Amino acid sequence: IKELEAYRLDEKERLESLVIKRTKQLELELEQRLKVEKALNESDEKYKSMVELLSDAVIIHEGGKVVFANATALQVIGADSLDQLAEKAVIEFVHPDYRTMALDRIINIYSTGQPSEFSEEKFITLKDEIIDVEIVGLPITYMGKPAIQTIIRDITKRKLAEKALVESEYFFRESQRAAFVGSYKFNLVTNHWESSQVLEQIFGIDKSYDRTLQGWLEITHPDDREIMGQYFMEEVIGKRQPFNKEYRIISKLDGVTRWVLGLGKLNFD
């Protein structure tokens, strides 16, 4: 009986020792976990502070849901606070015409762990406005979980400017065609000039024509060639006077002689 009691006492002490040892292990693990979580939280806070300073819009989405947006992103999306975006599916902001492409990009980022290439898409803001954006996605860890950081740049104004430029060039070409007025730009350094379509029609040349000073003189009527060459070198180049001269040309296409008025102004760097 004494031996049995002694055995029970030893076993109790052993179990108590194991419990104390395991308790200390759990306390240490908990302490380490709290340190890691604190470090992660501090890291996330530093990250947020840094991102808030960026001029580009930054959105973080995890599992397809928006979990963070900097001030610029809120402005681009048309939100007053993150609460308006919280738990919203990020794909909701993508125009339907671009959603398949956007989903493919998200899947590819998660599967490869690699950032996407820059691409242009259209977004729909909370105010139901359609905007043009340039976008790139990067895989990150946010709050200890895999997520995607999306950098967005509003390029709506640039797109409108490009469209206006295209339309302006179109109307300029059409006005030249209607008035039969051509235009050119001559680079003295490279000895090369560019011409509008109407000027090509007037000169009777195509894209392959030699657009040099000698090439222009070849178009000039033989009786005017020496005078025009001298005028260009002495008055325009030498004295930096505007080009303003009537002269004759012979069309390279049909051989017809035409009188033209040449106008131009030198610009120096």
Side-chain angles (χ1 to χ4, degrees):
I1 295 175
K2 289 183 179 180
E3 291 179 358
L4 181 59
E5 290 179 350
Y7 172 78
R8 288 177 177 175
L9 182 61
D10 291 342
E11 184 66 15
K12 180 181 179 183
E13 291 177 350
R14 188 180 72 83
L15 290 174
E16 288 178 348
S17 176
L18 289 174
V19 170
I20 292 172
K21 183 178 180 181
R22 181 54 181 160
T23 300
K24 289 182 178 180
Q25 288 178 342
L26 290 173
E27 288 176 349
L28 181 61
E29 290 176 3
L30 179 60
E31 183 180 355
Q32 290 175 340
R33 182 179 297 177
L34 290 174
K35 286 182 179 179
V36 170
E37 290 179 355
K38 181 181 179 182
L40 285 173
N41 289 334
E42 290 177 352
S43 176
D44 287 334
E45 288 303 318
K46 289 180 181 178
Y47 169 81
K48 290 179 181 178
S49 299
M50 179 188 69
V51 169
E52 286 294 350
L53 299 176
L54 296 179
S55 58
D56 288 331
V58 177
I59 287 178
I60 297 176
H61 53 94
E62 178 217 327
K65 300 291 186 179
V66 177
V67 293
F68 173 78
N70 69 350
T72 306
L74 295 178
Q75 183 179 0
V76 169
I77 297 299
D80 297 322
S81 67
L82 181 60
D83 292 338
Q84 292 178 270
L85 307 182
E87 296 304 314
K88 270 189 173 293
V90 69
I91 202 68
E92 291 182 28
F93 300 106
V94 181
H95 190 280
D97 293 347
Y98 294 86
R99 286 181 181 174
T100 298
M101 182 173 70
L103 286 171
D104 288 342
R105 181 181 63 250
I106 293 170
I107 293 171
N108 189 61
I109 292 173
Y110 274 125
S111 62
T112 65
Q114 298 296 318
S116 69
E117 296 181 354
F118 279 94
S119 61
E120 293 184 1
E121 299 177 3
K122 288 185 182 295
F123 269 24
I124 303 175
T125 71
L126 291 178
K127 299 177 182 178
D128 290 327
E129 296 174 340
I130 298 176
I131 60 174
D132 292 286
V133 297
E134 188 177 54
I135 190 169
V136 63
L138 304 92
I140 65 168
T141 299
Y142 184 75
M143 302 295 285
K145 297 180 181 179
I148 294 178
Q149 172 183 283
T150 302
I151 301 174
I152 305 164
R153 183 170 298 166
D154 188 347
I155 58 172
T156 305
K157 291 182 179 179
R158 191 187 81 189
K159 284 292 187 180
L160 291 174
E162 290 175 355
K163 182 180 179 182
L165 180 60
V166 171
E167 292 176 349
S168 175
E169 290 175 347
Y170 170 77
F171 286 118
F172 178 69
R173 289 194 302 268
E174 290 302 306
S175 63
Q176 283 191 328
R177 186 174 289 110
F180 208 54
V181 174
S183 61
Y184 68 93
K185 182 168 62 176
F186 184 31
N187 189 319
L188 296 177
V189 177
T190 61
N191 188 28
H192 179 79
W193 47 274
E194 301 173 2
S195 56
S196 65
Q197 292 180 355
V198 175
L199 188 61
E200 291 174 359
Q201 294 175 4
I202 294 172
F203 284 172
I205 60 175
D206 57 22
K207 299 295 183 184
S208 64
Y209 188 76
D210 177 30
R211 286 170 166 75
T212 62
L213 178 60
Q214 185 59 39
W216 169 66
L217 290 173
E218 288 294 328
I219 298 172
T220 305
H221 193 284
D223 294 343
D224 297 344
R225 194 168 294 160
E226 183 178 352
I227 296 174
M228 292 306 298
Q230 185 177 356
Y231 170 77
F232 184 79
M233 296 305 298
E234 294 180 1
E235 298 295 324
V236 179
I237 303 299
K239 298 180 181 180
R240 298 188 177 184
Q241 295 296 312
F243 190 106
N244 189 341
K245 192 82 169 175
E246 289 186 350
Y247 63 100
R248 290 171 294 176
I249 64 155
I250 298 179
S251 170
K252 289 293 183 180
L253 180 63
D254 53 23
V256 174
T257 299
R258 294 188 176 93
W259 278 95
V260 296
L261 171 62
L263 299 171
K265 182 179 180 181
L266 283 176
N267 291 318
F268 293 91
D269 295 333

